[in-house]
Every structure is written in C-alpha cells, then in structure tokens.
Amino acid sequence: MTQSISNQEHFITLSRQAAAEGAVLIKNDANVLPLKPQTKIAVFGRSQFDFYRSGTGSGGSVNVRYSVNLVDGLTKKNVILNERLKETYEKWLQDHPFDNGGGGWAMEPWFQEEMSITPALVAEAKLESDVAIVVIGRTAGEDKDNLDQPGSYQLTKDEETMLDLVSQTFDQVVVVLNVSNIIDMSWLELSSFGERINSVVYVWQGGMEGGNAASDILVGDETPSGKLTDTIAYRLHDYPAAKNYGGEEKNHYEEDIYVGYRYFETFCPENVLFPFGYGLSYTTFDYTIQSAEIKRNCPSELIEVTVKVTNTGATYSGKEVIQLYMEAPQGQLGKPVYSLIGFNKTKKLAPGETEIITLHVPIEQLASYDEVGLTGEKASFVLEEGEYRFHIGTDVKTIKPVLFNEKSEVFIKHTVIDRLEEAARPVEALMRMKPGEKRGDGTYQLVYEPVPMRTIDLDERINTRLPKEIAAPKTRYTLQDVANAQIDMDTFIGQLTNDQLATIVRGEGMSSPYVTPGTASAFGGVGDDLLHYGVPIACTADGPSGLRMESGVHSTQVPIGTALSATWNIDLIEALYTCEGIEMYDNQVDLLLGPGMNIRRHPLNGRNFEYFSEDPLVTGAFAAAVTKGIKKAGVEATLKHFACNNQEKHRHNVDAVVSERALREIYLKGFEMAVKDGQARAVMTAYNPINGHWAASHYDLVTTILRREWGFNGIVMTDWWAKMNDCVTGGEAKTTQTNHMVRSGNDVYMVVNNYGADINSAGDNTLQSLEDNTLTRAELQQAAKRIIQLLMTLPVFKRKQTITEQAVIVTPQEHESIGAKSLDLPLDFQTTNEQRIQVEAPGEYRIIVTLMSPQSNLAQSACRLMINNQYVTTIQTNGTDSHVIKQKLVKVALDKGTYSITLQDKGEMLHIHTLQFQRLNQ
Ligand code: BGC
C-alpha cells in the first residue's frame, strides 16, 4: 500500500505550486511585497504556527505525514525572522495549545484564541524588524457553516487590536489570510487601521505544503497569479442570497441566475469591494486583442479571440489570466450584464516576454434557458436574437471591448440550441429577480417575476419510461464470462435473484473490512452470493483534497478547492489530480468522493472550501479537470453534491426552492461540464431536497437531466445515510425508502453497516417494494447493470481480491496476566480507552462493538482499535442520537496469552460502550 516515490515527490511539488498559484494578492501598496532578501520581518498571529491546511469534516480529514506551517516555510527563505517575537509566541502556545473542540465531528472552532498584543511587544519587535506580517486564520467545514460573527466571517476584537497596534508601529504591514473562504474585508477601508495595511494576500489553506507555498509568494520566489473566483462585497447582506440563506425548511433562490458578479454587475456594482476575477501581481501586464472572429466551419459555431499578453514589468516573471465576458441582449428572458464565457492563463512570462492566448467558445455556451417559450419554444436553450458584446479583461470590472470587424457588437439571429423537456421545476410559488429598466450607467432596476411552476405529470413520465425486465438465462455465469465476451451483460444480470439485486444497491461502511481500511465505503459484491459470481467490491474514499483513511495510513493533502480554482490553471489541476489518482490506485481506492462542486452561493457556507466558485463555468472547468486527471490514473472521481448543497445548516432537510432556469444555467451547469467534458462516471446526490424532492430520489434531476439529457452512463450514489421521499408525490423523507431511490435512477444507497448489505441491516424497503409494486425487478436490474458496468472498468476488477474474510492475526505480549479480563463477558470501555485481556482458548474471534454518538445522524466519528499496538480496524459511526447500536467488526486470530486493547484518537462524541470477543466455530 505504498506509492512510488516519484509520484509522491511530483505530487508534493505540484501541490505546492497549486497552493502558490492559488494565492490571491488583493492589495500591495508601495510594493511591500515581495519581501526583499534579508528583510527583517516580525510575524504576528498564532496561525503562523497553527497554519490551517484545510477546512473541517469529511473533506478535510487527511492524515498527513507532515505539514508545513508559515514559520517553517519562512525559516527556509532568505529573510530574517524576529526570533524574540517567535519565541514569545512559542512560549505562549505551550499554555494555549490548539483547541480542536474535543475532536468530535464539527466541534473545531472557527478560530483560535490570539495572544494579546501590547504596544510594548510591538515596539520591541519594531526595534529589530522592518516589515510586519500578520496572519489571520479561519476554518469552517462540513456541518459547520461560517457565522456572521467575530471569529468567523468577521475579525475578532483581538485581531483588530493586533492590526491596529502593528500598523501604528510598522509602516510596512502585510496581512496573510489563511482561510477557507473569503472573509469580511470591509475593515480594509477603515481609517483606524485598514488603510494603514499595505499588502493583503489570501493564501487560503494550501494542504500540507501550505506554509512553503505562502512563503514562496511572500518572498517572490513565485509571483502571485491567483484571481478571486468569488465577488468580495462590502457587506455580507449585500449578497443576493443573504435574505434566504440559512433557512431551516426552505431556502428560496430568489436571486435566480443572478448569483455573485452576475447580480452585482447587473444591479449594484457599487457594492463590490473586490471584483470576481481580481488579483494583483508583482509585475505588470499589457494585453491587446489581436483578432476576434466567429468561426462558422467547425461542428458548431465558435467564437475565437486571440490576445497578446506581455509582461511589461522589469523584474519579475509572472502569469496572467485572460477572461472573456459576454454581454447578451436582455431579450425576453433577461440576462446578467456580464457572464464569464472563457478564460485562459499564460505560461510564466519573463519581463518583456509575450504570449498569444487563444480563447475558443462554442456558441452554444452563450445560450439561455427558456422555460415557458417566451422566445418561441418552451424548455429550450436559446440564443435570443440581438446584439451580443464581448469583453476581454483581467477581472469583471477591468475589461476592454472585443471588436469583430471593427464593430463592438455581433448580431446573432434567434437560434434554438437545444430542445429539452421541462424538469425539476418548483411546486410552490416563488418570485425571482429580473432586470427591469436600464439605467443610464448601464445597470438595471431590480424587479421580480413569478417563477414557472411544474406542469408535467411526473407519475406518467416515470411510468412510461420504466425499463424492461431482463430474462433469466438457463445456465449460471460469472462476471468473467462477460469480460471474456462469452455472454453479454444482460445475460449476467438476468440471473441475479431479487435478493442479490437488493444487496448490490447497498454500499457498506464506513471503514468496511472488505476494502482499504478507514475509507468511506465498499460497494458492489457486498454479499457472499455476489462475490461468488465474481462481482468485486470497490472502495470509495473522501475527498476531495486528499485521501481520507481513518486507519492512520498517510496520504498527500492538496490545497482546498478555493485555492485550486483561484489558480485559474486548468492544466496544473488536472496534473495534480493525476498524482492523486495514482495515490488512489496505490492505496486500492477506486473512487474518490470528490470533486465537491456546489456553487458558492453565499460566503457563509461551511463547505465552500471544497467547492470552486460562484460561477458555473469556473466550477465546471475545474471539476472536469479534477475528473480527467483522476481518470488518467485508471480510477474515477465522484461529482458531489448533486445538487444545491449550498448550506450546511439543516442540510438534511432544507428544501432548495429554485427555478428550472437557475438550476440549468447555474447550479447544474458545472456538473454538466464535468459529465460531458470530464467524462465523469460517478455522481453523489446531495442530502437536501430540491423543489420538494430529496436529491437521492429526484427523478428529474438524476434521470431526466443527468442520464437522458447529458448521456451520463455511470453510477449515482446517495450521500451517506441520506433520506429519500416519494419520487412522484414528494412528502416525508426516510432513510429506508430505497424504492424511490432506485426508481429515480440513483443506484447505490450509501451506507448500511458493515456486513449489513445482504441481511438488509438498515431495514430498507427494496424487496418489500417488489411485492407492493412500487418498484420493479427491471429497475433494480438496471441499477445493478450500471454498478457492474462501472466495476468492470475499475482497478478492483483486475486486482485479485481476497474474497474470504481473513482474520487479523495478533500475537500475545509478555504482559502480566494479573488484572487481565477474560473474554466471557463484554469488555466495558465506558470509562476507559484501554483494557487488558487474557485469552485462554486460541482461535478466531469476531469483535462486536456497542456504541453510541450523541450527535445527529450526519455527524461522523471514528477511532482506531489497536491490539498490542497493532492496528486492527477503525470503529466508525454516524451520530446515533444517543441510541446505543451494535456493529459487527473484523475477525481476529488470537493465541493463548495476554493482550492490551486500546482505542486510539477517540473524540468526545464517540462513546464506545462495550467490545465483545465472540469465539467462532473452529
Ligand atoms: C459528506 C460527503 C462525504 C460522505 C462520506 C458525508 O457526510 O456530505 O461529502 O463524501 O459523508 O464521508
């Protein structure tokens, strides 16, 4: 389970490069950055030591070999660190260790207590240093949205005092933001201290190489070339989703397609502090448009714009991002003033060096979705007739018009690009934003219009499209017969019994003993019967920013999604994820549970760090790059969370009430790109409902759009312990309604307990539904076919899988047997993490654990079970609302003798009650 050294080294190099390229310099007055060689620097803020490498939750739990903080990074550079200040911090940190909130799920606080800064301390630091660096750290994550409070979105009083004192004393101050997502920046405008800050750089959270990458930027070994993929508004309540964000039961997407800069530039550009696409460099660039043409010869029409970019600086090499925006006619549908339709990044240009960048945009990409036929045909993507303008720029506000034959506008005739069918519309009334009258400055009045509601008969749609049952063959075959082309897949599927089909739609986990220890799930042949047919068991692991293996095995942690997309460097991220794919392959992980790719609708979403942007094109481009990169290593990505997982609070229940247009143009667009361009083979549905249907049982989402329209031919899985409701009538959601899951086109329920799939330990209704006709055998066969088709393309199919369960062999130790317990009774772990046992009868024992977690069912907890310091298994559960549950764990082979049993890294939210060693028949 080790990877080749060369991939590891390459992976780390690319990871550092991505973290550096993702850093966004938003202010650099008097060119305080980069720090000149031998600059004397004083670094303030504890996060220089406790440098965050990621957000929290499943997307952040990577067990790394090492992690480089900012001090480590700067120490290796040619600058002089103020040692006295560093020691003061180190001493203080001894009594103020990192607070992880107890280690439980979503317990880690958003920020860490700061050391109080006194005028005397700053004055003393100033005696030896010329430049002050102030590091501000923040985190957030799964089940832990940011809050509009000091210490989360806002600065704390301590941080303000620190910035105030430092900027009064130092006349060169750099702020380093080690954060998972944009934070409030309005303080930068404050005359008290904000205006005195010279430089600000968002270094985000750069994975395990974060401190090295941030240092590369600070000293100018790398020139910043990152650009914001979100708009930074003056105030949080300026964001168009602010009014509805965070709701418990409903989240009305009133802003419709006017998300991020689409909203600000259309209605209120004055509310923007730092625009979408913005980021400074240490050098300067000039760009001129060389040519602009609509090419009509290709399979479809293509806009081609070539831009000459020159590094006009004298000292630093650097890269520039060229962005192409469209200004479409308002027409009948209404449009944002600007929409990003293409971008490209230069290579590293030396001073004076030039590169010609070409942008190609298929004309279909300019289309808008017409729900009700205002332009002629309903449910179609159309180009509304009128004058289209295009702009090239380095952010959405710094743009130049593109001239086509010396004209700034291109007339496009009314064209229907794609005829689709109505899907996933709201079933309750909703008003949405729309541009009204045009104002003199080119912006629009904000008006509202009713959103078109569902008009189709979902029951009829589903029932007329049910698949046909595959007949059973007379002979028994194995999957290898399909691989050898002796039989076709249908013949293989036809022989599977209802029980077997019901088993295959259940994934097991977490930490299934069948697959790589400590990973998220095992799926496929999770039942003896299926294994005998040669159906392998594939392994999934979180994702997205590194392999999550709760077994203690190390893996590489890459920068968070925020940083990856801020690079605007698609090729780099694709190459990075090929390394990730190789690491997956080497660890026998077949599917990564990532990329996370929900739209960053609002800055408070805790999982924004896993996602890419407020913009669908940026989101889709990076998701496709991650997917392609991973595929190059022979493994697969899983696009998540499909769709609208745009807040963590109440994520299990909050209904996204959203128009079909906003879904298709904004929230689903990125997924479409990753499916069509990235060729993704796996998708994870979200926890939340969308227009009354939980995503895991959303027929239109999964079947009408994803499968039928986009041609997706892979598997769809639920999120872990997700709920489903009636795929026709909606209503109450339950974790057991797998009939609606399968009927909607969602193939795998993630997850039931280990060893629980073939005994239906979760009590789902799959088999019962075949009896009451709410599901057909043909639908189950269809799901099984998709699962098996994917399995056959994964490394697991070629790997020799040990099908029989092997007991973990542990040898006894020379412990004193006095005080060691016998195995007759369950061992009580309620008040201890360690017990010693005396084994009298050598043989194989099944371990049964009883446990509970007081948290609710989406919280995850884990610990490692060690016997004589040897890793045996990971005990992992979701929250049980304090109910004590039983889990079957691995088998162990024990000799006569004494053993010490320990629970390692157990957080406060996992309560192990007992461990029982049941002797198995010998
Ligand atoms: C998260 C998913 C993750 C899964 C497995 C869920 O709680 O929402 O993103 O992949 O757990 O860890």
Side-chain angles (χ1 to χ4, degrees):
M1 305 251 273
T2 52
Q3 58 180 314
S4 59
I5 295 298
S6 60
N7 181 58
Q8 214 173 79
E9 282 168 358
H10 191 45
F11 198 6
I12 285 165
T13 308
L14 290 183
S15 195
R16 177 170 177 169
Q17 192 187 334
E21 272 203 36
V24 183
L25 180 67
I26 62 168
K27 186 176 182 188
N28 197 18
D29 289 353
N31 291 338
V32 166
L33 288 179
L35 303 169
K36 315 290 169 293
Q38 292 292 306
T39 304
K40 295 178 180 155
I41 55 172
V43 190
F44 294 88
R46 72 170 296 155
S47 298
Q48 60 181 300
F49 295 93
D50 296 318
F51 205 58
Y52 289 108
R53 53 188 160 87
S54 147
T56 57
S58 61
S61 311
V62 180
N63 183 25
V64 292
R65 278 180 300 281
Y66 68 86
S67 170
V68 182
N69 66 23
L70 189 63
V71 193
D72 297 337
L74 284 171
T75 307
K76 291 178 232 154
K77 299 293 184 188
N78 187 12
V79 284
I80 301 165
L81 271 176
N82 188 319
E83 286 298 327
R84 200 193 299 251
L85 180 61
K86 184 178 153 205
E87 277 160 24
T88 309
Y89 269 104
E90 279 168 343
K91 200 150 161 263
W92 181 83
L93 284 170
Q94 283 172 9
D95 302 325
H96 300 83
F98 186 85
D99 171 14
N100 70 356
W105 180 254
M107 303 290 273
E108 190 175 312
W110 292 271
F111 77 107
Q112 298 289 313
E113 179 194 355
E114 261 314 331
M115 182 174 89
S116 290
I117 302 291
T118 60
L121 179 85
V122 183
E124 187 187 271
K126 177 71 179 90
L127 290 177
E128 291 174 24
S129 314
D130 301 319
V131 178
I133 296 179
V134 181
V135 191
I136 308 278
R138 285 289 183 279
T139 195
E142 186 172 352
D143 259 330
K144 185 105 179 168
D145 281 333
N146 300 283
L147 294 182
D148 185 20
Q149 280 178 11
S152 185
Y153 194 63
Q154 300 165 22
L155 294 183
T156 63
K157 278 275 160 278
D158 282 345
E159 288 164 345
E160 285 182 4
T161 309
M162 171 161 69
L163 288 168
D164 194 17
L165 287 176
V166 170
S167 64
Q168 278 180 43
T169 314
F170 283 82
D171 45 20
Q172 299 188 77
V173 183
V174 177
V175 174
V176 172
L177 298 170
N178 170 218
V179 294
S180 43
N181 177 47
I182 55 169
I183 58 165
D184 174 49
M185 296 305 298
S186 59
W187 51 270
L188 253 189
E189 303 279 298
L190 294 179
S191 52
S192 51
F193 63 85
E195 289 177 356
R196 295 198 299 259
I197 308 291
N198 306 83
S199 307
V200 181
V201 55
Y202 270 100
V203 298
W204 316 113
Q205 294 157 342
M208 56 201 263
E209 284 288 322
N212 277 335
S215 306
D216 291 342
I217 289 288
L218 291 174
V219 304
D221 287 350
E222 293 288 345
T223 298
S225 61
K227 308 277 178 178
L228 293 175
T229 56
D230 295 305
T231 307
I232 302 186
Y234 279 92
R235 294 157 301 248
L236 196 60
H237 65 249
D238 291 334
Y239 288 92
K243 183 175 140 214
N244 293 299
Y245 180 82
E248 189 161 338
E249 286 177 4
K250 306 266 177 195
N251 198 334
H252 291 107
Y253 284 46
E254 275 177 21
E255 72 282 14
D256 208 52
I257 60 166
Y258 300 93
V259 179
Y261 69 90
R262 283 173 165 75
Y263 166 80
F264 289 108
E265 298 308 315
T266 307
F267 302 112
C268 47
E270 68 283 1
N271 288 347
V272 175
L273 184 56
F274 295 104
F276 174 84
Y278 170 83
L280 301 172
S281 172
Y282 295 152
T283 186
T284 48
F285 294 94
D286 185 33
Y287 61 96
T288 48
I289 298 156
Q290 298 285 96
S291 66
E293 226 188 306
I294 311 262
K295 298 205 150 184
R296 298 186 196 270
N297 50 349
C298 317
S300 69
E301 286 181 42
L302 205 65
I303 299 173
E304 189 186 88
V305 182
T306 54
V307 185
K308 183 173 156 194
V309 190
T310 308
N311 179 348
T312 50
T315 318
Y316 300 100
S317 299
K319 300 182 181 181
E320 179 60 300
V321 177
I322 297 299
Q323 303 159 30
L324 178 59
Y325 292 93
M326 153 179 89
E327 196 183 339
Q330 283 299 315
Q332 300 297 311
L333 302 173
K335 316 272 168 30
V337 170
Y338 299 121
S339 306
L340 182 77
I341 53 167
F343 63 89
N344 214 334
K345 191 170 194 175
T346 65
K347 62 180 189 204
K348 194 182 269 184
L349 298 176
E353 199 181 352
T354 286
E355 185 181 347
I356 306 284
I357 288 277
T358 306
L359 296 159
H360 284 124
V361 181
I363 203 110
E364 302 92 73
Q365 217 172 290
L366 316 186
S368 303
Y369 190 69
D370 185 351
E371 287 145 316
V372 293
L374 288 178
T375 63
E377 285 189 47
K378 63 179 183 178
S380 57
F381 268 102
V382 291
L383 289 171
E384 280 208 80
E385 184 152 308
E387 288 175 348
Y388 287 70
R389 291 184 169 73
F390 300 89
H391 307 267
I392 282 285
T394 51
D395 65 60
V396 70
K397 285 188 190 286
T398 313
I399 50 175
K400 295 179 188 175
V402 180
L403 301 185
F404 292 80
N405 292 328
E406 297 178 2
K407 288 209 305 215
S408 67
E409 67 284 333
V410 176
F411 182 80
I412 298 184
K413 281 210 310 249
H414 172 80
T415 320
V416 178
I417 297 289
D418 220 349
R419 292 183 172 82
L420 303 169
E421 53 184 359
E422 173 195 322
R425 283 208 195 149
V427 286
E428 64 178 83
L430 171 72
M431 296 296 285
R432 67 175 168 198
M433 293 181 185
K434 194 184 175 191
E437 285 288 298
K438 191 169 185 173
R439 303 187 189 110
D441 63 358
T443 64
Y444 289 83
Q445 263 183 353
L446 174 56
V447 297
Y448 286 82
E449 66 172 8
V451 169
M453 290 170 52
R454 189 205 286 173
T455 63
I456 57 123
D457 182 341
L458 203 45
D459 193 26
E460 191 199 328
R461 177 173 284 179
I462 295 175
N463 277 304
T464 53
R465 294 173 183 183
L466 289 178
K468 294 211 168 28
E469 189 172 324
I470 304 168
K474 301 230 161 39
T475 325
R476 191 190 141 112
Y477 296 100
T478 68
L479 196 54
Q480 202 49 49
D481 298 327
V482 182
N484 298 340
Q486 260 169 269
I487 53 160
D488 62 13
M489 181 60 88
D490 278 2
T491 310
F492 180 79
I493 298 290
Q495 68 188 335
L496 300 180
T497 63
N498 290 348
D499 272 325
Q500 289 159 346
L501 292 170
T503 302
I504 204 168
V505 298
R506 300 178 187 124
E508 290 186 357
M510 307 177 78
S511 292
S512 161
Y514 290 136
V515 291
T516 304
T519 53
S521 76
F523 75 95
V526 282
D528 291 341
D529 279 10
L530 289 164
L531 283 171
H532 293 142
Y533 279 107
V535 179
I537 304 178
C539 172
T540 77
D542 283 308
S545 62
L547 283 183
R548 174 183 179 202
M549 294 182 286
E550 299 278 0
S551 56
V553 171
H554 292 141
S555 61
T556 309
Q557 187 160 34
V558 306
I560 59 172
T562 317
L564 299 180
S565 57
T567 64
W568 294 65
N569 187 340
I570 298 289
D571 296 342
L572 173 63
I573 304 312
E574 186 175 327
L576 179 75
Y577 272 84
T578 299
C579 295
E580 176 73 68
I582 295 171
E583 195 166 282
M584 286 168 64
Y585 186 93
D586 289 349
N587 283 283
Q588 305 198 340
V589 171
D590 303 283
L591 274 98
L592 184 77
L593 301 176
M597 51 177 300
N598 295 91
I599 291 291
R600 291 210 289 246
R601 177 175 176 239
H602 191 266
L604 293 189
N605 184 6
R607 291 188 95 169
N608 277 346
F609 80 94
E610 298 181 50
Y611 305 153
F612 297 121
S613 178
E614 67 185 21
D615 176 80
L617 180 76
V618 173
T619 299
F622 280 93
V626 168
T627 308
K628 285 185 202 170
I630 288 178
K631 286 175 87 77
K632 281 190 181 155
V635 285
E636 295 286 344
T638 309
L639 313 179
K640 72 184 187 186
H641 311 85
F642 191 57
C644 295
N645 187 174
N646 300 319
Q647 70 179 56
E648 284 300 289
K649 206 168 161 199
H650 312 301
R651 63 179 169 153
H652 214 342
N653 289 318
V654 62
D655 189 13
V657 184
V658 53
S659 78
E660 183 185 1
R661 179 175 179 196
L663 282 173
R664 289 184 181 275
E665 288 189 26
I666 305 287
Y667 295 99
L668 305 185
K669 199 53 162 188
F671 287 96
E672 182 177 0
M673 289 171 67
V675 166
K676 289 183 175 169
D677 178 33
Q679 293 289 303
R681 301 287 314 281
V683 169
M684 181 196 296
T685 44
Y687 282 129
N688 50 282
I690 300 141
N691 293 329
H693 290 280
W694 263 257
S697 53
H698 203 304
Y699 183 86
D700 268 352
L701 190 69
V702 178
T703 295
T704 311
I705 297 179
L706 173 69
R707 295 192 185 281
R708 291 173 63 98
E709 289 182 4
W710 300 349
F712 174 77
N713 64 359
I715 64 157
V716 180
M717 65 183 78
T718 68
D719 201 341
W720 270 231
W721 314 288
K723 294 199 282 190
M724 288 79 63
N725 66 347
D726 193 303
C727 58
V728 174
T729 59
E732 196 196 345
K734 294 193 190 129
T735 56
T736 48
Q737 304 192 117
T738 35
N739 56 343
H740 295 300
M741 172 191 89
V742 176
R743 179 150 282 190
S744 72
N746 200 330
D747 309 302
V748 187
Y749 187 79
M750 294 291 190
V751 286
V752 303
N753 280 350
N754 294 326
Y755 307 113
D758 57 0
I759 55 163
N760 190 14
S761 67
D764 72 39
N765 69 5
T766 314
L767 286 173
Q768 170 198 328
S769 308
L770 296 177
E771 308 280 306
D772 65 25
N773 294 324
T774 52
L775 187 67
T776 61
R777 176 171 155 81
E779 288 167 286
L780 271 178
Q781 287 178 326
Q782 180 175 260
K785 185 170 168 182
R786 292 181 193 130
I787 296 167
I788 294 175
Q789 266 166 345
L790 177 69
L791 288 172
M792 288 182 75
T793 66
L794 296 174
V796 68
F797 191 58
K798 299 193 189 85
R799 211 161 49 223
K800 187 160 167 31
Q801 224 175 6
T802 313
I803 299 171
T804 48
E805 191 197 341
Q806 301 283 356
V808 181
I809 301 168
V810 191
T811 40
Q813 269 183 359
E814 296 295 313
H815 285 299
E816 276 275 338
S817 61
I818 301 163
K821 306 227 164 62
S822 83
L823 290 183
D824 299 344
L825 290 174
L827 302 165
D828 191 342
F829 277 87
Q830 292 195 70
T831 52
T832 177
N833 280 337
E834 180 156 16
Q835 289 275 16
R836 264 187 324 114
I837 54 165
Q838 173 70 29
V839 175
E840 296 300 346
E844 289 191 356
Y845 289 80
R846 166 72 66 193
I847 311 177
I848 307 284
V849 62
T850 59
L851 57 81
M852 73 92 164
S853 163
Q855 293 183 289
S856 64
N857 90 321
L858 301 190
Q860 300 178 17
S861 308
C863 72
R864 288 190 290 281
L865 173 64
M866 314 287 289
I867 304 187
N868 289 347
N869 281 330
Q870 178 187 328
Y871 170 81
V872 171
T873 191
T874 302
I875 306 177
Q876 200 157 10
T877 185
N878 54 328
T880 68
D881 285 317
S882 296
H883 298 302
V884 178
I885 60 158
K886 210 183 241 194
Q887 272 186 22
K888 195 164 143 188
L889 303 179
V890 289
K891 291 191 294 194
V892 280
L894 304 174
D895 251 339
K896 196 166 165 16
T898 54
Y899 298 81
S900 112
I901 320 274
T902 40
L903 303 175
Q904 230 176 45
D905 282 343
K906 190 174 74 59
E908 280 170 17
M909 291 297 146
L910 178 59
H911 299 224
I912 304 289
H913 282 214
T914 59
L915 282 179
Q916 193 173 357
F917 285 69
Q918 287 177 347
R919 187 141 191 274
L920 299 170
N921 290 337
Q922 302 298 302

